Amino acid sequence: MSRFLHGVLATGRNAAVVLASVATLVAANAALAADVAPIAGRPEPVANPNGVKAKIAMIGFANNPYWVAVQKGAETANDVLKSRGGEVRWIVAGANIDVPTVNQAINAAALQGYNGIGFFIAGEGNCTTIKTLIASKKIAFGAYNTLLPCVEEAGGVIDYAQDQVTAGKNAAAELVKATGDKSGKVGVIVSQFTAPGSEQRRKGFLEGLQGSKLTVVNDGVEAKDSAGTTFAAAKDYLTSTPDLVAIYATAGGPFGAAQAVKAAGKQDAVKVIGYDFTTENIAAIRDGSMYATTGQDEFGQGYNVAVTLFNNIVAQQKVTPVLQPAVSILMTKENVDKLDPAKQPLGAVPKL
């Protein structure tokens, strides 16, 4: 065989390999671009025949396991929207949550060209910032975690969050029922007294205890969503309060209190009540160190807000009301299997 013919055959074989590789790549890209079905029971993405680009930033933090589910919701929204002209990026603003930090993250996202921004609202000061950006840059804004009327007043598209005052009242009612006619003290652990959601839960709880034989040890101690700090605060309550019957944790890291109760061997005597359907809290429910935890549809706070912002950007769709209470169900050992997200399809709306 001549060198020329050999070269032609070799080139043909190489070309075939290249073509096969290209075909594989095209098929892979097609698979990536294929529609991911929207999640049943949640906001339905609108059609986007004009190919409007929706670039959405979802701003969160990284100081407790609550964020894992919110981020998963945002990332799933990206999977659903990417073939429809939408892009959802999860942006971590840090670990310390306050109004200036959230505002800084919002302004940075606006400078980066996002035309939709979802954010954890840390206070009314965030509403002042978004009102200015809505007027100047026509950005669609959505908030989550705490229901604050100023979001709607500022022109926000959606605020999807737990009705936290009601959640606090329900937690108190459950504790009163669980302790029966017994009197005793309750230790309260909050995120920060300046955090609006945590305060709503604390005040709702105090209101719910009125008329019962249970009283709080003090106004509460701050743990800033840290499980380690929550553990230490719970340990202090356990050692300083002989008639302690419960510990109520209003924010991130309540499993730290459960660990302290378990370490002291007081699972039967001291009931821990917290928030969020996290892996850690569910494990504590199962082993009896946590009595109850209330969910706030953590996944939906990422997913629902992102999809609603997409619909507003693409089709100017508005939701009514803007302030939307999130699904909020109290989990105990009796219903943990029905509510455990790990036992449900991805993103399934919590229900009993």
Side-chain angles (χ1 to χ4, degrees), residues 62-78:
N63 58 7
N64 75 85
Y66 154 80
W67 299 108
V68 175
V70 182
Q71 179 178 354
K72 187 63 179 176
E75 291 174 343
T76 303
N78 181 65

Side-chain angles (χ1 to χ4, degrees), residues 86-345:
E87 175 190 359
V88 181
R89 296 289 301 275
W90 178 252
I91 296 175
V92 177
N96 184 51
I97 305 172
D98 55 31
V99 168
T101 302
V102 174
N103 281 343
Q104 183 178 19
I106 288 172
N107 284 317
L111 287 173
Q112 291 167 21
Y114 288 96
N115 55 357
I117 300 175
F119 64 98
F120 178 100
I121 187 163
E124 293 190 356
N126 297 140
C127 293
T128 303
T129 296
I130 70 168
K131 184 176 182 178
T132 299
L133 289 170
I134 290 169
S136 62
K137 293 182 177 290
K138 309 302 181 185
I139 296 172
F141 279 97
Y144 64 93
N145 187 262
T146 304
L147 294 173
L148 289 181
C150 70
V151 174
E152 182 174 12
E153 294 162 3
V157 174
I158 182 174
D159 183 354
Y160 184 69
Q162 180 183 74
D163 180 341
Q164 292 168 325
V165 173
T166 299
K169 291 179 181 178
N170 290 342
E174 183 67 22
L175 179 60
V176 170
K177 183 173 68 174
T179 54
D181 199 38
K182 184 178 180 181
S183 62
K185 295 290 181 66
V186 182
V188 178
I189 303 173
V190 304
S191 171
Q192 301 175 80
F193 290 112
T194 55
S198 177
E199 269 299 274
Q200 287 178 4
R201 290 170 176 172
R202 185 181 74 89
K203 290 178 178 179
F205 183 76
L206 295 179
E207 185 177 342
L209 288 184
Q210 290 179 7
S212 75
K213 294 184 177 181
L214 303 180
T215 57
V216 294
V217 177
N218 50 30
D219 288 338
V221 295
E222 294 184 333
K224 295 187 175 180
D225 299 306
S226 164
T229 306
T230 299
F231 177 94
K235 186 176 178 181
D236 287 345
Y237 277 131
L238 287 163
T239 55
S240 65
T241 312
D243 56 345
L244 189 74
V245 296
I247 296 172
Y248 175 61
T250 68
F255 59 93
Q259 291 170 347
V261 168
K262 185 176 181 179
K266 293 188 176 181
Q267 299 96 311
D268 294 333
V270 179
K271 301 186 184 304
V272 175
I273 296 181
Y275 286 88
D276 300 332
F277 291 172
T278 64
T279 300
E280 294 80 0
N281 289 350
I282 291 171
I285 291 282
R286 292 188 186 282
D287 72 17
S289 57
M290 182 179 288
Y291 176 73
T293 187
T294 303
Q296 54 179 320
D297 191 15
E298 301 85 9
F299 179 97
Q301 290 184 23
Y303 183 93
N304 291 22
V305 170
V307 174
T308 302
L309 289 176
F310 172 84
N311 290 347
N312 182 260
I313 295 165
V314 169
Q316 293 75 55
Q317 186 181 94
K318 296 183 178 180
V319 295
T320 303
V322 172
L323 272 63
Q324 298 190 8
V327 177
S328 181
I329 303 174
L330 189 137
M331 173 191 287
T332 65
K333 205 164 189 176
E334 284 66 41
N335 62 20
V336 61
D337 287 333
K338 292 182 180 179
L339 294 174
D340 185 350
K343 294 182 176 291
Q344 311 300 325

